[in-house]
Amino acid sequence: MQDNATEVTAAGIARLAGVGRAAVSNWRRRHADFPRPVGGTETSPSFALAEVESWLRKQGKLAEVPLRERVWQQLSGHPEGPVTALTHAGCLLLLIHDRPTVWLEVSAGSDERLSEMLPGALREVFTPRFGPESVMNPAPAVNTPAAVNTADVVHPAPPAADAHTPSGVHTHPAVNTHPALHLPTGPELLPSAPLLRGVAELAAELGARQTFEFLLGRHLDANPRQYTLTPADLAALMADLAGPARTVLDPACGTGALLRAAATRPDQELYAQDSAPELAALTTLRLALQTWSTVRGAVGDSLRADAHPRLRADAVLCHPPFNERNWGHDELAYDPRWEYGFPARTESELAWVQHALARLKDGGAGVLLMPPAAASRRSGRRIRADLLRRGALRAVIALPVGAAPPYNIPLHLWVLRRPEKAPAQPEVLLVDVGQFAGEGRGGPDWRPVREAVLDAWQAFGRPGRFAERPGLARALPVIALLDDDVDLAPARHLPPPTATDGAEQLTAVREHLGETLRLTADLTSPRADVAQPARWPLTTIGELARGGALMLRTGGNGGHARVPVLTDHDVLFGANPSGTLPESEEEAVLTEPGDVVVPVLGGGSVARVIDATTGGAALGRNLVLLRPDPAALDPWFLAGFLRGTANNRQASSYASTATRLDVRRLQLPRLPLDEQRRYGERFRALDEFERALRHAGRLGEQLVRGMYDGLTDGTVAPD
């Protein structure tokens, strides 16, 4: 009965039945017994999931729906919202993970019995995992933001008034009084009972941790604008810079990427806090499912209401919010954390830096992701100067563009050390790895970034003089930076590559460009003879798929974390696979040489034939894979005709903000295989020509930039 409360949209029904949304619209018009809407709007109605499943089953359209898709629909259509549903699911999965036999006893019988018994079973897991505060009754919500679902079982954020005394002097609670998780009650769990049974069934198939990662990944993927994610490669680099640590704090934990990267052994203590209740709760569950470490999660703004005031951690990792004006400047004026100076209203990032230092033990390490402006804004120069003088700031590392959101800015890493004593001759390491930026939106090449940064950091920590690396890394005496600006941007202090190296590189680029331009001349198509348009008999991709001439697959929403992912941007820019998918046990669609991949968003006519170097990558979102039968279709013939402008226009649909391609409607001429191959060879030559032109453009830009640099630094003569 409770499952009737779970709602599903037309798009969800389409996924359940494995059809397009147009088919769902046709069912609604043609079948009088199709379920009536129970919610939503006139243009985007929602339906009762139980009624929809019953109708699909009666029509024979539900038999092959994967269990994970059904569970996801139950979660996303939960009457209390997906965050509450995901939190309840995480609590159950932790019970299954820690005490698997208990669930078998709790789940026997009705949904009412399950909801009555489950809180007691969860209590036995929550107390040792999250502390006694997690099983106390949550306090009523105060000043809960409108965007936050107040039905969540997480504890609400404390009001700002609790963060300071009337005199303005900041005080801290003696203990963590706002834990991220609270024990859900029976009435709260009752609407989730059908979902929990499905989650348990999925956990038996995938495992508890993998099930939670799958569901969390789908939730994050479905709400990309609500969350700022820290890429896994960047999180791993930050954890390596901090070094081994038994106690680790992330005061703005988000989805927990940094603490997951630092969680390497069971005797660790992981402390997390976030001002968003849903993130604090989900991260606490995620960490508990991944590791046997002690996990202490809390809700609240770490600057205004620090939940861990007595903590002295071995390491602090943080990706703080950027450019916040309302960070607590007025009420925190006398806070004891400002050892290095009171941050200006525009310097919220320097408040986070000092918060991290205040939570470190002597000698402890902190690594923060920072906007580049924090290294040079005049309003922060006095704090930067004191951080340098006292040896608290050890390194500033400029990352390539695209390393983390916002992706159009080359962000910095600040490496901190809580000084045990003032260094005799303090130095700071400046590193710039911007040269490893990737093409398009694929992000940087993380392997050389990681190697260059860690190699420089480890060399800086060894006794003796640091060997300067022109254009990459340099150790500067602090006194050299203590001018009027105290500008710490690495690019302004690193010596350029040696003149010899620069001249050699410029010569190599010029020679390579010449070779590429000669190749483009050779590849230029001969003059095309004038002819009347051909009148071929046509077929469509949909017809070919139904006839078995090709197989059609769409990109997935999850997969194994270590599989490289081909994204729509990779296809558009001709780049190597660069993406990632949420970690799950969902079967990823893997490409093979000879496949044709087509982006479905954006309105461009692009198709890419997979070669040996790209084969084996997982297919990303917004991509369709066509796998032709080589006895019936030539892949280059297929890809070439799919790129026709008129073909794409007739197969595209247009919304107010996007264009979507219906690949099944794309047309092909019916030609014998020999004739297909003749066209295919010409299309292959055009593709090679296009790639050569793209490469020549990049080399030309590199040559022009190198010539400007050479002329301005004197390494290239004007004549």
Side-chain angles (χ1 to χ4, degrees):
M1 179 178 67
Q2 291 298 331
D3 201 23
N4 286 328
T6 302
E7 298 177 10
V8 62
T9 63
I13 297 173
R15 284 193 292 269
L16 281 172
V19 298
R21 290 190 60 178
V24 178
S25 299
N26 288 336
W27 293 342
R28 292 185 63 195
R29 288 195 299 268
R30 294 170 54 190
H31 296 277
D33 62 338
F34 191 87
R36 301 295 181 188
V38 297
T41 64
E42 184 175 347
T43 57
S44 181
S46 59
F47 307 82
L49 178 60
E51 295 179 8
V52 168
E53 287 184 331
S54 176
W55 188 87
L56 291 174
R57 191 175 292 108
K58 190 189 312 178
Q59 298 289 327
K61 304 178 185 297
L62 195 65
E64 299 182 3
V65 177
L67 173 62
R68 57 174 64 91
E69 185 62 39
R70 295 187 62 197
V71 171
W72 167 248
Q73 291 300 332
Q74 287 180 307
L75 187 146
S76 61
H78 193 281
E80 299 296 339
V83 172
T84 295
L86 190 54
T87 305
H88 289 179
C91 292
L92 170 68
L93 289 168
L94 186 61
L95 174 65
I96 294 174
H97 181 269
D98 287 9
R99 303 190 178 188
T101 59
V102 175
W103 165 249
L104 299 178
E105 179 184 350
V106 170
S107 61
S110 66
D111 289 353
E112 287 74 11
R113 179 181 181 275
L114 183 154
S115 62
E116 290 174 2
M117 295 187 65
L118 189 53
L122 290 175
R123 181 186 299 273
E124 300 303 315
V125 175
F126 272 41
T127 302
R129 282 300 209 128
F130 307 124
E133 299 89 357
S134 64
V135 298
M136 297 167 57
N137 292 326
V142 182
N143 290 355
T144 304
V148 176
N149 184 353
T150 56
D152 291 351
V153 298
V154 293
H155 197 288
D162 291 345
H164 59 91
T165 63
S167 64
V169 179
H170 184 79
T171 60
H172 297 287
V175 294
N176 176 0
T177 56
H178 301 285
L181 276 169
H182 276 288
L183 187 70
T185 65
E188 290 172 332
L189 288 169
L190 183 57
S192 300
L195 166 67
L196 297 181
R197 295 186 188 277
V199 168
E201 188 179 350
L202 188 58
E205 179 182 311
L206 303 180
R209 183 179 70 85
Q210 292 84 351
T211 298
F212 188 74
E213 287 298 318
F214 162 70
L215 295 173
L216 177 61
R218 287 287 293 266
H219 174 67
L220 297 176
D221 193 55
N223 302 277
R225 296 185 180 180
Q226 293 184 23
Y227 305 104
T228 299
L229 306 181
T230 306
D233 289 306
L234 176 58
L237 175 60
M238 293 173 67
D240 286 341
L241 286 169
R246 197 183 71 82
T247 56
V248 188
L249 166 68
D250 185 346
C253 64
T255 59
L258 294 175
L259 289 174
R260 289 184 73 210
T264 56
R265 59 182 201 251
D267 64 335
Q268 286 177 298
E269 297 177 4
L270 306 177
Y271 294 84
Q273 184 169 351
D274 201 279
S275 58
E278 70 273 16
L279 288 179
L282 296 177
T283 291
T284 301
L285 286 166
R286 192 180 196 187
L287 294 172
L289 281 164
Q290 175 170 305
T291 176
W292 288 102
S293 303
T294 300
V295 180
R296 293 291 183 264
V299 176
D301 180 349
S302 290
L303 296 182
R304 286 191 172 95
D306 183 12
H308 308 292
R310 296 179 178 175
L311 177 64
R312 296 299 177 264
D314 297 313
V316 175
L317 302 174
C318 188
H319 178 175
F322 296 160
N323 302 319
E324 285 199 336
R325 295 297 182 98
N326 185 28
W327 58 267
H329 176 271
D330 294 338
E331 61 262 42
L332 301 178
Y334 300 99
D335 195 288
R337 289 172 291 181
W338 315 142
E339 295 181 50
Y340 303 87
F342 180 42
R345 190 181 302 276
T346 57
E347 294 288 352
S348 63
E349 297 86 7
L350 293 183
W352 285 100
V353 165
Q354 295 192 75
H355 173 76
L357 286 166
R359 294 296 155 261
L360 286 170
K361 71 177 186 181
D362 289 347
V367 184
L368 277 75
L369 186 66
M370 302 283 281
S376 55
R377 281 190 297 244
R378 289 189 60 82
S379 54
R381 64 189 186 278
R382 292 184 179 178
I383 294 177
R384 293 195 298 271
D386 208 31
L387 290 168
L388 291 173
R389 288 191 195 97
R390 297 169 60 180
L393 180 58
R394 304 294 292 132
V396 177
I397 301 164
L399 296 170
V401 172
Y407 289 107
N408 61 331
I409 297 174
L411 301 175
H412 288 179
L413 291 178
W414 284 26
V415 184
L416 312 171
R417 189 80 71 187
R418 176 79 181 175
E420 298 178 82
K421 59 180 181 179
Q425 294 180 327
E427 287 188 330
V428 64
L429 175 67
L430 302 176
V431 180
D432 189 339
V433 287
Q435 59 186 290
F436 301 115
E439 297 178 7
R441 301 187 186 181
D445 188 346
W446 279 107
R447 173 177 285 185
V449 167
R450 180 184 180 86
E451 291 175 352
V453 169
L454 294 181
D455 185 51
W457 175 245
Q458 291 162 5
F460 179 66
R462 289 193 287 265
R465 184 174 179 81
F466 179 83
E468 190 173 277
R469 303 168 192 196
L472 184 64
R474 182 183 190 184
L476 270 181
V478 163
I479 191 66
L481 295 168
L482 297 178
D483 55 14
D484 289 341
D485 294 324
V486 196
D487 192 331
L488 306 182
R492 297 180 182 173
H493 302 284
L494 292 179
T498 60
T500 302
D501 291 342
E504 290 177 353
Q505 290 177 4
L506 205 57
T507 302
V509 170
R510 186 184 295 111
E511 292 175 354
H512 197 179
L513 177 59
E515 294 172 1
T516 304
L517 290 175
R518 285 191 292 272
L519 177 62
T520 58
D522 294 339
L523 290 171
T524 303
S525 301
R527 183 177 62 86
D529 295 329
V530 178
Q532 293 297 319
R535 300 293 183 182
W536 293 303
L538 299 176
T539 184
T540 65
I541 294 297
E543 291 173 352
L544 291 170
R546 287 191 293 272
L550 58 79
M551 183 177 68
L552 188 149
R553 301 288 299 277
T554 57
N557 292 297
H560 301 288
R562 296 186 179 180
V563 177
V565 177
L566 185 70
T567 69
D568 53 348
H569 297 294
D570 298 333
V571 175
L572 292 171
F573 288 99
N576 290 328
S578 64
T580 58
L581 288 174
E583 183 181 353
S584 77
E585 293 301 314
E586 182 177 350
E587 194 68 29
V589 179
L590 301 183
T591 60
E592 296 179 2
D595 291 344
V596 178
V597 177
V598 183
V600 297
L601 293 181
S605 54
V606 178
R608 178 171 176 176
V609 179
I610 300 300
D611 56 19
T613 60
T614 315
L619 191 69
R621 292 174 298 132
N622 302 323
L623 290 175
V624 170
L625 179 145
L626 305 176
R627 182 164 295 160
D629 179 353
L633 283 173
D634 179 80
W636 285 101
F637 163 81
L638 173 62
F641 273 94
L642 295 187
R643 292 192 59 173
T645 302
N647 200 4
N648 273 260
R649 285 177 179 171
Q650 64 84 28
S652 296
S653 59
Y654 304 92
S656 59
T657 59
T659 302
R660 187 173 187 88
L661 180 68
D662 184 350
V663 175
R664 291 179 178 272
R665 291 172 55 191
L666 288 168
Q667 297 177 336
L668 283 179
R670 295 181 182 273
L671 296 179
L673 190 57
D674 290 343
E675 187 71 1
Q676 291 182 32
R677 289 170 178 159
R678 195 164 71 89
Y679 274 95
E681 286 302 316
R682 190 62 177 272
F683 286 134
R684 186 198 294 265
L686 279 174
D687 180 78
E688 189 177 353
F689 179 59
E690 182 180 38
R691 285 187 284 111
L693 281 177
R694 188 182 291 122
H695 187 53
R698 291 195 295 265
L699 288 172
E701 292 176 359
Q702 189 176 350
L703 178 61
V704 170
R705 185 169 59 251
M707 287 295 295
Y708 271 110
D709 291 343
L711 287 167
T712 55
D713 65 17
T715 58
V716 175
D719 51 0

